[in-house]
Amino acid sequence: MEKTTIQPNKQQLLNRLKRIEGQVRGVHQMVDNDRYCVDILHQISAIQSAMNKVSLALLEDHAHHCVMNAVQNGNGDEAISELMDVMKTMTK
């Protein structure tokens, strides 16, 4: 069963993801143009940092909305277990 949700900060997340998409295209061009490796690595680091911020924003929204609703509806154990599984995956 596929779960869905309404993202309260959807437009902010989409804007961040569009910026990241542009950064990835820029790295692609840097590699294609044989730019200096360290410059490319700095850009990759910036992309990873930006993705971490998107992940944390989604995680926060999930905790404040989905998990909170599940707890209020008596499904807290399942929601917390799912949240912990996601956190374990994120920290690998």
Side-chain angles (χ1 to χ4, degrees), residues 33-83:
N33 295 330
D34 298 319
R35 292 280 303 270
Y36 185 52
C37 298
V38 172
D39 293 339
I40 296 169
L41 290 168
H42 282 297
Q43 289 302 311
I44 291 171
S45 178
I47 292 166
Q48 289 171 328
S49 177
M51 285 300 297
N52 286 340
K53 288 180 183 177
V54 169
S55 295
L56 288 174
L58 278 169
L59 186 63
E60 184 175 1
D61 285 347
H62 181 67
H64 283 290
H65 297 95
C66 301
V67 175
M68 185 183 302
N69 287 339
V71 169
Q72 290 171 348
N73 293 324
N75 299 318
D77 288 339
E78 179 183 338
I80 291 169
S81 178
E82 181 181 52
L83 177 64

Side-chain angles (χ1 to χ4, degrees), residues 17-33:
L17 290 168
K18 285 178 188 176
R19 261 187 308 237
I20 293 166
E21 184 179 7
Q23 288 176 296
V24 171
R25 280 195 302 274
V27 168
H28 184 274
Q29 289 176 343
M30 291 174 79
V31 171
D32 192 38
N33 295 330

